[in-house]
Amino acid sequence: MEKIYLALKYLFLGIFQGFTEPIPISSSGHLVLAQYFLGLKIEGMSFELLVNTASVLAVLIIYREDLLRLTKNGLRYITAREQSAKDDFRFILYLVIGTIPAGVIGVLFEDMIAEYFKSIQVLGFTLLITGIGLWIIRNLRGRKNDGELTFKDAVIVGLAQAVALIPGISRSGATIVAAMLLGMRQETALRFSFLLYIPVSLGGMILSFSDILSDSNLRTLWLPYTLAFIGSLVASYYSLRWFMGIMARGNLKYFAYYCFVAGTLIILFT
């Protein structure tokens, strides 16, 4: 019975992480919070990497047509210099540029950042910061399309993604806030944010692959981990679909309200 209860806890964590990953309320922060209330202490990064991989898979499924188009047109521009494919080639280039800050800072300082900002109290304050960012952009309606992005846009959004290595700072929130402050349309901001998420997450998984394989938890908790992966994949897919509709309607203020309330409660009662 105890093993079943433990498996259900991990399933809940996977669903919880998957639901919170696409929306701008910090999945990493909420994963810490959920472990705190469930009485779980998951050592190492294997579990988080596993459920993040499930979320990346959901993003790949949803944006598969964009990814295929970008790949096809990027190759067409490189091989034949077709001008009709130039905008997509530049979009790929800016994704690469935007990936660099989080990739470099993550490799060098991620463990230190996770250790320094691991307390629940810090999570409360960083959620408030996320809420402030969302509140600032709640009424913005940008005009920049995919083909109008610049080198500066890519660098700034990339730096915003690096800031989101701090637990409680939402990755999607930070990148979308930066993108919309730079004048991007909601659809462009959302697409750039989530396509930017793919290489950073996959890179982290590849760099940590040996650590994952050597993690004893994979042998002793393979069933709970499997349930968490499936739960995260399904929840991420439907959560991102839901969030895309919210972005189209411009209802980000409700996420700001949530971050204000959640951050304040965490500070006062933990």
Side-chain angles (χ1 to χ4, degrees):
M1 191 65 185
E2 185 178 337
K3 288 184 177 180
I4 294 174
Y5 186 49
L6 182 64
L8 289 174
K9 281 186 175 181
Y10 274 86
L11 174 60
F12 173 79
L13 282 179
I15 294 171
F16 193 63
Q17 183 277 338
F19 176 74
T20 55
E21 178 62 53
I23 60 179
I25 61 172
S26 176
S27 64
S28 61
H30 280 74
L31 196 59
V32 171
L33 194 61
Q35 290 178 53
Y36 174 80
F37 284 113
L38 288 173
L40 285 173
K41 187 174 177 63
I42 302 175
E43 300 293 343
M45 297 295 292
S46 296
F47 178 77
E48 190 168 349
L49 285 166
L50 184 73
V51 291
N52 279 338
T53 301
S55 293
V56 173
L57 184 55
V59 173
L60 288 169
I61 293 169
I62 289 175
Y63 282 103
R64 62 189 182 280
E65 292 182 4
D66 291 286
L67 289 166
L68 288 171
R69 188 196 75 247
L70 287 169
T71 302
K72 179 181 176 182
N73 287 343
L75 291 172
R76 282 172 56 204
Y77 185 77
I78 291 171
T79 57
R81 284 293 188 272
E82 291 189 27
Q83 291 304 303
S84 61
K86 185 176 181 179
D87 285 347
D88 281 339
F89 173 77
R90 289 176 59 195
F91 193 87
I92 295 170
L93 184 62
Y94 293 146
L95 285 173
V96 173
I97 292 167
T99 299
I100 294 172
V104 173
I105 294 172
V107 168
L108 296 177
F109 304 111
E110 185 170 15
D111 290 341
M112 186 177 71
I113 291 170
E115 180 66 24
Y116 189 78
F117 292 100
K118 69 179 181 180
S119 79
I120 299 295
Q121 286 283 315
V122 169
L123 174 59
F125 286 106
T126 51
L127 277 173
L128 292 179
I129 293 171
T130 294
I132 291 169
L134 294 172
W135 182 257
I136 290 171
I137 66 164
R138 68 193 187 281
N139 294 322
L140 291 184
R141 298 290 184 274
R143 296 184 177 180
K144 281 186 182 178
N145 293 310
D146 293 13
E148 298 173 309
L149 304 188
T150 65
F151 176 85
K152 175 184 172 183
D153 295 335
V155 171
I156 292 175
V157 177
L159 289 171
Q161 180 165 251
V163 171
L165 291 169
I166 300 172
I169 301 293
S170 165
R171 192 213 63 83
S172 63
T175 52
I176 288 170
V177 166
M180 293 188 67
L181 285 174
L182 290 165
M184 294 185 203
R185 293 174 61 245
Q186 290 97 320
E187 184 181 351
T188 297
L190 190 67
R191 180 162 42 248
F192 193 76
S193 171
F194 281 100
L195 293 182
L196 200 60
Y197 169 63
I198 295 170
V200 167
S201 296
L202 291 179
M205 183 185 69
I206 292 168
L207 289 173
S208 304
F209 191 67
S210 61
D211 294 332
I212 294 173
L213 290 179
S214 63
D215 189 342
S216 61
N217 288 332
L218 290 179
R219 291 185 288 273
T220 58
L221 296 172
W222 66 270
L223 179 58
Y225 272 38
T226 301
L227 291 174
F229 181 89
I230 295 170
S232 178
L233 173 61
V234 175
S236 295
Y237 179 87
Y238 287 104
S239 180
L240 180 50
R241 285 292 189 194
W242 175 62
F243 183 50
M244 291 168 79
I246 288 175
M247 280 289 291
R249 295 189 296 272
N251 289 335
L252 286 174
K253 62 183 179 183
Y254 297 111
F255 293 110
Y257 295 151
Y258 173 82
C259 289
F260 291 145
V261 172
T264 301
L265 290 175
I266 290 169
I267 293 168
L268 292 177
F269 296 107
T270 60

